[in-house]
Amino acid sequence: MANIKSSEKANRQRVTRTARNVAQTTAMRTAIKKLRAALGGQSKGAAKNLGPLLKSAVQAIDKAASKGVIKKGTASRSVSRLTVAVSSAGAAK
């Protein structure tokens, strides 16, 4: 454990930032998992929910990228792949 004042403060800041980043990452992953689950189970009700699920997943990814939790290129690639998956699922029905 740090016993210098500045080190103690840095440690407190690290804990706070880590908790914030974990919460952001968890929210993003949950939104993506919900969308992928709806894509996998192509039932009649799931096809209707793809639009709102995609929107919430994209918002979560963009928010994580803007906060610096993930890189902007990673966010762009994820959004692109999810959008293509939703589009192809819509064309398949």
Side-chain angles (χ1 to χ4, degrees), residues 38-39 42 47 50 83-93:
L39 282 169
Q42 281 296 321
L50 290 181
T83 305
V84 167
V86 169
S87 297
S88 64
K93 51 173 192 173

Side-chain angles (χ1 to χ4, degrees), residues 20-74:
R20 190 180 311 130
N21 290 344
V22 167
Q24 199 76 45
T25 305
T26 303
M28 179 186 68
R29 285 181 178 171
T30 302
I32 292 171
K33 283 179 186 177
K34 285 180 182 178
L35 177 60
R36 287 202 176 128
L39 282 169
Q42 281 296 321
S43 64
K44 294 176 184 175
K48 293 179 185 177
N49 282 341
L50 290 181
L53 287 174
L54 176 65
K55 184 178 179 184
S56 67
V58 168
Q59 285 176 343
I61 292 169
D62 287 342
K63 188 172 184 180
S66 70
K67 303 289 184 188
V69 176
I70 60 172
K71 293 183 178 178
K72 298 206 182 290
T74 304

